[in-house]
Amino acid sequence: MAIKKLDSIFKPKRIALIGVSNNPDSVGGITLRNLVGGGFNGVVYPVNPKREAVFGIPCYPDVKSLPKTPDLAVIMTAAQWVPNLVRECGEAGIHGLIIMSAGFKESGDEGKKLEAQVKAEKAKFPDMRIIGPNCLGILVPGLNMNVSFAAGMPKKGHVAFISQSGALCTSVLDWAYESNIGFSNFVSIGNSMDVSFGDLIDYFGQDPNTKSIVLYVESISDARTFMSAARAFSREKPIIVYKSGRFPESAAAAASHTGAMASEDSIYDAVFRRAGLARVFDFGNIFDFTDLVGRKRIPKGNRLAIITNAGGPGVMATDSLISMGGKLVNLSDETMQKLNDYLPPFWSHGNPVDVLGDATPERFARATEIVLEDSKVDAVLVLLTPQAMTDPTATAKAIAEMSVKTTKSIMAGWLGGTAMRDGIQIFNQAGISSYGTPEQAIRAFMTLSEYSENQQILYETPREVPVSFQYDRNELRKKYLSDVFPKAKILNEDDSKMLVNDYGIDTTHPTPAASEDEAVLIAEQKGYPVVLKIYSPDITHKSDVGGVALNIKNEDMVRATFRNMIKTAAEKRPDAKIEGVTVQRMVDTKDGIELILGTKKDPIFGTVMLVGMGGTTAELFKDKRLEFPPLNEHLARQMLRSLKIYPLLKGWRGDSPKNIDKLIEVLIRMSYLAADYPEIEELDINPLIVTPTDVIALDARIVVDEEILKTPVKEYSHLVLRPYPESLICECKLKDDTPVLLRPIRPEDEPMWLVLLGSCSKESIYHRFRYDFYFDSHEVASQFCFIDYDREIAIVAEHEKEDGTKEIIGVGRLIADPDVEIMEYAILITDAWQKKELGYTLTKYCLNVAKGRGIKKLVAETTRDNKPMISVFRKLNFKIRFNEDTTVSVSKNLEEEEQIS
């Protein structure tokens, strides 16, 4: 119930201010004045044992003395008193706290200890939620509630603003007053000791007054909660994020190329992208974008058309658009003909569409309408400069009236001062975003188009890539944990390649040689040419010490290279233990491309994968893309497409295209490896050679996390996203002995899911969705097939037909509340498979899945005429309640239930 308990903070009826003083300029004095003078309709209790009254309001010595238990207590005392006050609030039954007091972890070691004490006291009261410490407070304009020491109250709006910086909050509020920006909620979370970004995204995601969420992030602590909440709501409510502190020197001590290249900011970038968030890099533009995205006209791409009455602003907008990666669309022949027929002969005859300085409101509107009808155009920017013949207000009115005819995004740039204000007001009322400069509009548009593209990419249906493994992965894991990983912190090349190869990624196999003679013997066995590499557990970057020699063609070259390599490595790394060299066959890389592929375990976000331009210059050019496992075909392909080196993989200027499909399979195999081994701190394959026919790892290095090796962790706790739950795959038989596979749904199942719904009668669809559900689109289907396994599970019943093809014949879906305590259950069985006890089998299995997840209660709803499912629920001992309308509510307490056999 932790998310629901936030009502105590954001919807309180009674508020206690602990530590408030008579000083009108103190934190407590300002907060009290804001509440009492701002129109808050609830009760405010000042608490201070040294005062009889504050500003004429009776004061209470402590929270135990209050006439009624407050919903929210605000602590604004010196830091050392806070732990005791938290305990007193908990004992008094107060569920919501805001700690404004500073002097905690932000102030050093002593502050960290004090914050730990506060956490310990809070832990005694499971229903308590705390914002802060070291925060400004909160503002809820809809309730006239300013529980902060910020001056004034912004207007009501639909944006929830959440910031870790209290100082920035006051600046944003001042800016919002001047810009007439409204908020549904305004929150300073400070140190976010308890309530985090993820909690607030979950809470505001369910708030009907919040249409979009803006985050100012300095750091994220609870990564999995953040990712799960953001993914759950970013499709319905755009989440805009600004991340400060982008360039810390955090990779200096990395033991691999991957570790050095996977910087903190690039990891945050991968987080925001995978969560479907819109990232802005200039805080000054964050509300420009918020305003635009709030209009709910999201473009399908970055193809922009520009309408202007002057050439200069059109050129300025074009320059900005191209520099930011947008596309100035080439208008279709049909559109060009319509413009030629309508506009004066001297119009620009291209995009930007210059309608000339004497353009009337009607000319502006009609030209805009013609361009919007072009299927190539994703959005239009209308620019107006005040010329002698221009009527900005009438033109704005004409554009606004025309805008109701289109669903495409329209932006306006009314460039000027006083004469533009009435027109801008018309745009605001019509839901059209307006900007003071062309560049401002283009920045907002590009952020919006990138957000739109990212949303489409996240939910694009992947191809099925069959990946099988030669060995049982569980048995393999036991072997490496007992026999290989304990050998060294940094595994040697042979052991590293062995694990990579066991996961189906081809490698060259190095053989150690301690002497010249041994090196010659191995080289002759493998066949010339060969590669020699220095063999040392202490040397990671072999090339840096002259430790790699290629194309060794005969015995004399082997002997000379061996002596020289040992001597050079010893001179450059006298501290290193050198055990000889390794010998491996030389791979013909003439038609190959060198990539780097690796993983790194981030202390906050867990294991992250990297692919990029490889070889010795990998860290110099930093052409890379990061993603989080697990990967599917589409995510892996998108990683490759984002690289500057991608055209070389496709075949550049007559070169043969490389085996990209095989490379995608390798990336997916690596994501399995990353998910299976929390004990791997870093893994580096560099180079990974991609040829027209094959993909092969020439070098590999694994760094072991020795702490986790000693102290095992919970399965998949090192991943920010829960991978596909393979453990829930189960074979069973129906009452007529028909074999059925029960398994969690996958994004790749979308085509079969659509066939399933297409085979159902209207009655079956109604019983499942309770309305005439339209399902036949990717946008709808992806919501049911692309799921976050942390908070939702859909179990499909898969049947193999006589011709060997597979079909989904039923699906049971479990959706958890944000606190993951209650799950709602729904089921759909295709008509042809009803009355075969599939509904009973699927429901019983889903019950056990929920029980295994630690869910406390399962609920469902159906209609009176759905007698087969009512019978199933009755057989499984659900509580059944027939409501006054035609609905039937069912529930089952799982806390005391045993697994159902």
Side-chain angles (χ1 to χ4, degrees), residues 230-264:
R231 281 162 56 89
F233 293 105
S234 64
R235 271 182 119 179
E236 302 302 322
K237 298 188 178 184
I239 302 173
I240 304 101
V241 58
Y242 177 88
K243 169 70 175 71
S244 63
R246 293 178 55 206
F247 301 109
E249 298 299 322
S250 60
S256 67
H257 294 289
T258 299
M261 292 170 70
S263 66
E264 179 181 326

Side-chain angles (χ1 to χ4, degrees), residues 4 62 90 125 163 165 236 290 295 297 354 381 386 495 527 630 658 668 671-672 686 711 880 891:
K4 293 175 184 175
D62 51 47
F125 308 100
S163 172
S165 167
E236 302 302 322
T290 303
R295 307 298 183 184
R297 293 188 179 188
D354 188 345
L381 170 61
D495 286 338
K658 308 309 178 246
I668 293 173
S671 83
Y672 274 100
N686 186 28
T711 311
I880 300 173
S891 64

